[in-house]
Amino acid sequence: MKLVYICSPLRGDAEKNKERANNYCRFATKEEVLPLAPHTIFTQFLDDHIEEERTKGMNLGLELLKHCDELWVFGNTISDGMKGEIKIAEKLEMPVIRFSSDCKRI
């Protein structure tokens, strides 16, 4: 089973964005892949409003990304954090697959 990194915004309306990320994970499981959305996990114990903890969470996520088979990017908004994830995936020559916010492949 493929391990897929779910890439979507966190900042802004963080609670709504985490809910969206969970929905993207639900969609991914229906596609028969194992989804990983670090921004829904690490925010359980790291505070995204504290820059040091945000940086720690971003670095942990990037470390996990290195173990994934694909990066799935959701939505029309590409945040700075997402840009970093996409850059790493491209550097690793990992497939980067785009989806709209309603989970339609772009």
Side-chain angles (χ1 to χ4, degrees):
M1 182 177 280
K2 285 184 193 174
L3 179 60
V4 172
Y5 191 100
I6 303 298
C7 179
S8 65
L10 174 61
R11 282 198 164 165
D13 187 346
E15 292 309 310
K16 184 66 174 171
N17 287 336
K18 285 188 268 186
E19 181 182 326
R20 286 184 184 118
N22 286 330
N23 288 333
Y24 301 148
C25 288
R26 187 175 296 108
F27 163 76
T29 61
K30 291 177 184 175
E31 297 297 308
E32 303 292 327
V33 300
L34 176 61
L36 176 61
H39 55 305
T40 65
I41 301 166
F42 297 137
T43 54
Q44 298 299 308
F45 55 87
L46 294 173
D47 187 338
D48 196 62
H49 296 100
I50 299 172
E51 197 57 39
E52 184 177 295
E53 291 190 20
R54 176 176 170 74
T55 299
K56 176 66 120 178
M58 293 289 297
N59 289 337
L60 291 170
L62 293 175
E63 189 60 38
L64 285 173
L65 176 59
K66 295 174 186 176
H67 301 280
C68 292
D69 299 301
E70 295 178 351
L71 175 77
W72 288 12
V73 180
F74 287 88
N76 296 324
T77 301
I78 306 295
S79 67
D80 288 339
M82 293 169 67
K83 287 176 188 173
E85 292 165 340
I86 293 166
K87 184 177 177 180
I88 295 292
E90 289 172 343
K91 183 177 178 181
L92 295 170
E93 299 181 359
M94 178 184 299
V96 175
I97 302 168
R98 294 287 315 264
F99 293 89
S100 63
S101 58
D102 59 353
C103 301
K104 303 241 187 303
R105 192 165 177 167
I106 301 173

